Amino acid sequence: MGRAWVFGDNVSTDHIIPGRYNITTDPQELAKHVFEYARPEFAKNIRVGDVLITGGNFGCGSSREHAVIGLKECGVQVVAKTYGWIFKRNCINNGLLPRQFEEPVDITEIQDQDEAAINQDMNTLDDLTRKRSFPLRPVPKFLLEIQRSGSLIEYINAHGGYRTRR
């Protein structure tokens, strides 16, 4: 359980990590600068288990992985209406599970700092403050395995290859 951090549509990777910090891939350093310009209080106040809730096209923009690395290091979970496709792939590759709403949601129904949690068993985002649940798309078992491994590379190393059939 954590707190909700609500953002709108079209949050780019440059909003997540300003380009001037793309000279490092150090997760701890990147985490210090997540949303530095868009929400300066974010990096100082984020806690493991908090939920980043966004509108459509989250992570649009560049293909740099820095944004994902910084978010993952913060310990935040992410739920969006939709993702920029490269960002979504970077999330999977780096072990940050990109959860998505199952049906259209007016994210303004969830307020910043509401108590929120992702219920993996029920595939819901639960707003505990307002006692509401929002259905999430089921996550394929394979993606959960990649996330549990820490990243796609760690999954491949642990399993001696990339299996596509079960």
Side-chain angles (χ1 to χ4, degrees):
M1 179 171 34
R3 296 166 300 165
W5 293 82
V6 182
F7 289 78
D9 295 331
N10 302 311
V11 175
S12 75
T13 54
D14 284 328
H15 288 112
I16 301 167
I17 290 286
R20 69 188 188 123
Y21 297 109
N22 291 332
I23 58 172
T24 183
T25 56
D26 175 42
Q28 292 179 342
E29 186 61 28
L30 290 170
K32 292 178 193 175
H33 303 288
V34 171
F35 292 113
E36 184 170 281
Y37 300 133
R39 300 244 338 239
E41 76 283 6
F42 185 88
K44 292 182 181 99
N45 295 308
I46 192 74
R47 296 187 304 231
V48 172
D50 283 358
V51 183
L52 180 65
I53 301 163
T54 74
N57 203 26
F58 182 66
C60 58
S62 76
S63 61
R64 296 182 301 248
E65 296 177 274
H66 299 76
V68 173
I69 294 168
L71 286 171
K72 182 179 176 188
E73 184 66 20
C74 288
V76 69
Q77 300 175 81
V78 182
V79 180
K81 286 183 180 181
T82 61
Y83 291 90
W85 72 272
I86 295 174
F87 181 84
K88 185 174 184 178
R89 188 69 235 179
N90 282 338
C91 284
I92 293 165
N93 291 347
N94 285 284
L96 178 64
L97 199 58
R99 298 304 307 259
Q100 195 166 344
F101 291 107
E102 177 67 43
E103 53 198 47
V105 171
D106 178 1
I107 61 170
T108 62
E109 296 177 32
I110 306 164
Q111 298 297 308
D112 251 2
Q113 307 305 303
D114 279 359
E115 249 182 85
I118 294 176
N119 183 327
Q120 299 286 13
D121 295 330
M122 299 299 293
N123 280 320
T124 58
L125 167 68
D126 298 333
D127 183 338
L128 304 171
T129 301
R130 300 179 195 294
K131 298 179 179 27
R132 298 194 59 191
S133 291
F134 302 89
L136 301 176
R137 289 186 179 174
V139 178
K141 182 179 174 185
F142 182 65
L143 294 185
L144 288 172
E145 290 176 15
I146 291 172
Q147 191 241 349
R148 287 186 195 117
S149 296
S151 72
L152 179 59
I153 297 297
E154 290 173 31
Y155 175 87
I156 290 170
N157 289 338
H159 292 86
Y162 184 79
R163 296 187 314 244
T164 57
R165 295 186 180 246
R166 300 252 160 188

